[in-house]
Structure formats: C-alpha cells, structure tokens
Amino acid sequence: MDKRQASSFYPYFAIEERPTIDQFVGLFNRLLFTGQAFLTDFLDPRQRQIMETIAGEEAIVQAFGGYEEAEKCRLYISLEWENLRPDDYHVQLFEIEYPQKFASLRHSQILGSLANSGVKTDTFGDIITDGQGRWQFFAEKELAGFFASQIDRMGPVKVRLEEKPLKDRLEAEDNSEIITAVASSMRLDAVLAALSNKSRSQVKEALEAGEVRLNWHEEEKGESLLKVGDILSLRRFGRVKLLSVQPSKKGRLRVEGQFWPAKRQ
C-alpha cells in the first residue's frame, strides 16, 4: 500500500480542516509502516468522516463511544478485521454524584468543567442525562484516574465522579424535533436565518462572532452552500441536521431538519 499524501485530501474538505487531515494522515501512514492497529481519541462525526476517507478501503475502521447512538466515538483502525468488544475501546463511564435535593447541574457547567480540567476536549465523549437530574459522561479509560481525582466541582456545585460499568448507562433524553422553514437559497446564512427565525443581519453578526459551526467546525462564510446531511449549529439556538430540501412556491426552497435545541438544563 502506498503512503498517503495529506494534500491529496485537501480538495474534499474545508481549508480549516487541513490540520486535522495532516494529523490523521500521519496516523494512517504509521499504521501502514508498522502494521500496528491504533485507537483514536473521541472524534466527532465530521472527524470520523475525514479519517474514514483517508483510510478508504485499505483499513478497517470500527467506532464506539460508550453506546450505540454516541455522537463522539473512539475509532479502532486496523489493517485486518478484529472482532472487538466494548472494553477494547477503553471507554470509561462516569456518573456525576452531587446533592440533587439542593443543587442542579447544567450541560454547559459539566462541559466547561471537563474542558478546563487540563486535558484535551477529545479525551472525553458524550455528556448524557435522563432529564431527571442524573448526569453521566464518557471518557478515555487511560485518564479515568485523572478525572476522578481532579474534578470535584462543576460550576458552584461540589461533585464526585463515580466509575460505572457501561451497562449502567442512562437512557439518554432525546429532545430533538423535526422543523421546517422556507429559505431563499441554500446559502448558509439564508438557511440558518430561516431555521432559527433570525434576520440575515443577526446571522451575519453570529458568523463574525464565531458562533456558527458547519459540520462541527467554525464557519465564517455566509455564502457557503449547504447540502442534505450537513449539520449547522448556532450558539444559544441549537443544532440542525438538514434532512431534505424541496422546491416551494415562487422559486424558494422548503428545508426540513432534525433540530436539537441548545441545552439550557
């Protein structure tokens, strides 16, 4: 198998994604050179798409993030098929113990505490809740001791992290809904304005402030053209996956998406 060249993948992805491409090509070339399978950090869906594109048909890519519907997953990449078990992905489930009778936690508090704990954000995966006050998150088992010993507060709430087997995962609350809107074009600013019920000027301000992401990466160009399958997110609004686009009256477009509101709990 020939060594991959990062530049050969640049045309398929955004300029901002080139550092990710460079990193993943390096990992893949090491696999070709050594033949030794490797396990990645937690990757979002767009990062997984990039790695799968680089691997092509010359490697086996298997994913697991702690549960079947996980958004962020660790990838196990090998030259030959291996029959993996969940434990092989080294994913640790943590439950956040805190005095629920006297305090409450929000997703943003948990995310902020994990992100500011001194580790990279790709060392932990999804944060889930049952909607009744219980919270859990997934992390790399290699860092389980660090998380358990270093995190004792989230926001103003004193917490304790308890390691749990994956079988004790909560049934995650799904607050998504199907929404529709009529947009003038498939430009990002037009679609986002229609779906979020904001003006184009408000969307422009959000783009300039770095509050918009397209397929998990920050996007500043309102003229970027969208397609079915793309994922848009706007801070304080939520995230939308485009499901379908159909012509409507007067040459406009009817856009349907699956919408996850911003987490305020």
Side-chain angles (χ1 to χ4, degrees), residues 167-212:
K167 65 180 181 63
D168 289 347
R169 172 185 64 86
L170 296 172
E171 287 298 322
E173 179 185 42
D174 182 5
N175 62 343
S176 67
E177 58 184 284
I178 303 300
I179 61 173
T180 60
V182 176
S184 59
S185 73
M186 287 303 292
R187 282 175 50 122
L188 183 152
D189 52 4
V191 173
L192 186 54
L195 290 171
S196 65
N197 198 29
K198 295 183 180 296
S199 68
R200 294 280 281 269
S201 62
Q202 288 176 312
V203 170
K204 181 180 179 181
E205 291 175 359
L207 286 162
E208 294 173 347
E211 298 180 348
V212 177

